[in-house]
Amino acid sequence: MEFVLYVIALAIIVFVFVFKDRPIMVLTFEDGKLTQQKGQIPNGFLAGCKDIAHKQPFSGKVKVYKNRFTTKLVFSKSVPSKVKQRIHNVFPYSGGSKKRGRRA
């Protein structure tokens, strides 16, 4: 009976680690001002986001996730699509794939 409890506890712990929201960077904006930041944010990206928020004030969160193959940006619903595109343009990790230069 104790073994079953250990297995259930281990399954719950693994479930929490796998499905927990763990971005590597988080930027929180309110009315065009950066109110909170987490993670190691490159200076150029931070300055670009502050400049975008100053020119087109918005409120919302920008999260950056990284796995083995790619890095992606996730925006809250309150961020306008034009602002999303501008932030994508200043994002430093959006390089192409490793197959660059190959042609069919």
Side-chain angles (χ1 to χ4, degrees), residues 13-63:
I13 291 171
V14 169
F15 182 79
V16 168
F17 279 126
V18 169
F19 293 108
K20 185 180 176 197
D21 186 31
R22 294 179 292 180
I24 59 170
M25 292 183 246
V26 178
L27 300 170
T28 305
F29 292 92
E30 289 182 16
D31 299 322
K33 297 188 187 239
L34 181 66
T35 58
Q36 185 179 11
Q37 63 186 34
K38 290 182 182 177
Q40 293 183 343
I41 303 166
N43 291 333
F45 180 59
L46 184 62
C49 288
K50 284 181 180 178
D51 187 41
I52 292 167
H54 179 72
K55 290 181 180 176
Q56 293 181 342
F58 68 95
S59 296
K61 283 189 176 184
V62 179
K63 295 181 182 180

Side-chain angles (χ1 to χ4, degrees), residues 71-89:
T71 305
K72 72 176 186 173
L73 289 167
V74 176
F75 300 94
S76 62
K77 291 182 179 183
S78 61
V79 180
S81 61
K82 286 187 178 184
V83 172
K84 289 179 187 179
Q85 184 59 51
R86 292 188 69 194
I87 292 174
H88 270 291
N89 291 344

